[in-house]
Amino acid sequence: MVAFYQRSISAWMDGTEGLDDGEYRAYDVICNLIYLNDGPIVMHESGIAGRCNQHPLRFRRNFQKLVERGKIVVGADGKISNARVEAELKKIRSRRAPPKAPDP
């Protein structure tokens, strides 16, 4: 679980400025859930919609718009991901890895 991560403010603002308020909220919640899960998450529509403070039908529309815009990706396994979050998680994992022992 990633309890803390750094966000590039300008990159985040540039990447989200075209989203309406419902899309923005859904995007932010989904990205945070991916960080908390250390990777792609299972789609639990009513649960995620609740975290977004959106009716499931509204969330479904916002989610679909995010997929169409390429902000969110649904994998072949049905899990939800985001390319930037995955790249950041990879960096975090590399910093967490214990140092390699020297070769004898």
Side-chain angles (χ1 to χ4, degrees):
M1 177 178 92
V2 175
F4 173 83
Y5 63 91
Q6 293 182 345
R7 177 183 279 177
S8 169
I9 296 168
S10 61
W12 178 263
M13 290 179 69
D14 289 346
T16 59
E17 67 185 7
L19 303 178
D20 70 24
D21 61 337
E23 293 171 67
Y24 182 90
R25 177 69 178 165
Y27 185 63
D28 184 60
V29 167
I30 290 168
C31 287
N32 286 324
L33 289 171
I34 296 169
Y35 277 114
L36 285 172
N37 193 59
D38 271 333
I41 59 171
V42 174
M43 170 55 106
H44 187 279
E45 190 175 75
S46 62
I48 300 172
R51 285 187 173 270
C52 295
N53 197 27
Q54 297 175 4
H55 187 278
L57 294 176
R58 180 168 183 235
F59 171 75
R60 190 178 298 160
R61 285 190 301 272
N62 289 325
F63 180 80
Q64 187 58 40
K65 289 177 188 174
L66 293 171
V67 171
E68 290 168 2
R69 291 175 184 260
K71 306 299 275 176
I72 299 295
V73 176
V74 180
D77 59 359
K79 289 190 175 183
I80 304 166
S81 188
N82 171 272
R84 177 63 184 260
V85 174
E86 290 296 327
E88 294 300 323
L89 285 171
K90 188 174 182 179
K91 290 179 195 175
I92 291 168
R93 285 185 202 110
S94 71
R95 289 192 299 262
R96 286 183 182 166
K100 292 183 178 182
D103 291 330

